[in-house]
Amino acid sequence: ETGVTQSPTHLIKTRGQQVTLRCSSQSGHNTVSWYQQALGQGPQFIFQYYREEENGRGNFPPRFSGLQFPNYSSELNVNALELDDSALYLCASSTKDRVGNTIYFGEGSWLTVV
Amino acid sequence: DQQVKQNSPSLSVQEGRISILNCDYTNSMFDYFLWYKKYPAEGPTFLISISSIKDKNEDGRFTVFLNKSAKHLSLHIVPSQPGDSAVYFCAALDNYGQNFVFGPGTRLSVLP
């Protein structure tokens, strides 16, 4: 039990649709990062939010966007879904001066695009 | 181009024996590394870390070794237990100290 909760756990969308994934961070953590884990691969960094501002971004197109709210929870939005967006989406919460053992991952949201 | 590589997609080990999981990286600027363990239907959980100022870090049954000149690290699990069966990810903190670059993972199966 990490204290990081993600919703929904599984969902199926059609190509071209839009999706919103949600993450509630561990209490006391002000930083949220999102990762995409495709089948057979390691998690790939999408972006990070710190105090409601984007604070770093990986190699993902602009149709991947996010928000962080005053309570530090976060959303990942993906527009114009493509088949290759099918993956496990992981949220990780941490404090800004994090080290590995203060980063907690949620269980992830499985997205299938058909 | 993968900056963190785990060249063995899977590994099977007998219970009680040593498990050795390997990881190579290409970016010499990486200076902090972690191992994560992931069970099916769960998020990754932190296992052990090592800073580049060390060449070894030990925590119970888990030891991580870092060879900076070879850009190689390894995770040793002794003795291996069936509950260790999971996917193990090696990760390096990126150059900006913001987020982690993960390897593709190695699936460890510990056989009773």
Side-chain angles (χ1 to χ4, degrees):
Chain A
E1 188 76 27
T2 64
V4 179
T5 57
Q6 292 188 242
S7 62
T9 54
H10 294 82
L11 71 166
I12 300 174
K13 288 284 190 177
T14 303
R15 191 171 49 183
Q17 284 188 313
Q18 179 265 345
V19 69
T20 298
L21 307 178
R22 295 178 176 84
C23 173
S24 295
S25 56
Q26 169 86 350
S27 177
H29 284 184
N30 54 19
T31 302
V32 173
S33 302
W34 286 91
Y35 289 82
Q36 180 197 65
Q37 186 178 3
L39 204 60
Q41 297 182 22
Q44 302 290 316
F45 172 61
I46 303 174
F47 45 57
Q48 180 188 84
Y49 276 82
Y50 170 63
R51 292 186 176 177
E52 303 178 56
E53 298 281 336
E54 188 177 291
N55 185 49
R57 188 178 184 91
N59 189 26
F60 280 81
R63 59 190 185 83
F64 285 77
S65 63
L67 282 173
Q68 188 179 31
F69 300 100
N71 66 355
Y72 302 134
S73 66
S74 177
E75 285 182 356
L76 164 65
N77 299 290
V78 187
N79 293 322
L81 284 166
E82 301 176 0
L83 298 179
D84 285 348
D85 296 333
S86 297
L88 175 68
Y89 288 85
L90 293 163
C91 165
S93 80
S94 61
T95 55
K96 193 68 178 81
D97 58 344
R98 72 204 180 290
V99 294
N101 57 351
T102 61
I103 301 173
Y104 297 105
F105 282 88
E107 294 185 357
S109 294
W110 284 99
L111 171 64
T112 302
V113 182
V114 298
Chain B
D1 183 34
Q2 270 192 341
Q3 297 189 73
V4 178
K5 303 176 185 181
Q6 294 176 256
N7 292 322
S8 297
S10 63
L11 174 68
S12 291
V13 170
Q14 210 68 37
E15 181 179 5
R17 307 293 287 265
I18 185 171
S19 296
I20 300 176
L21 295 94
N22 293 305
C23 176
D24 297 287
Y25 60 96
T26 57
N27 190 334
S28 58
M29 298 298 290
F30 288 157
D31 61 4
Y32 189 75
F33 304 90
L34 305 94
W35 285 92
Y36 278 87
K37 179 170 69 173
K38 186 178 184 303
Y39 294 115
E42 294 184 15
T45 55
F46 170 78
L47 193 57
I48 193 168
S49 64
I50 189 165
S51 164
S52 61
I53 62 173
K54 292 185 171 183
D55 55 17
K56 176 183 173 181
N57 189 24
E58 193 171 352
D59 183 3
R61 298 186 296 114
F62 302 91
T63 304
V64 56
F65 295 92
L66 175 61
N67 182 334
K68 290 184 289 294
S69 61
K71 297 193 188 70
H72 176 84
L73 61 158
S74 60
L75 174 68
H76 293 211
I77 307 174
V78 182
S80 302
Q81 299 173 353
D84 297 329
S85 297
V87 178
Y88 289 78
F89 293 100
C90 171
L93 191 62
D94 72 10
N95 296 356
Y96 303 99
Q98 288 182 329
N99 277 289
F100 294 99
V101 180
F102 283 84
T106 296
R107 182 178 299 279
L108 173 66
S109 299
V110 180
L111 310 173

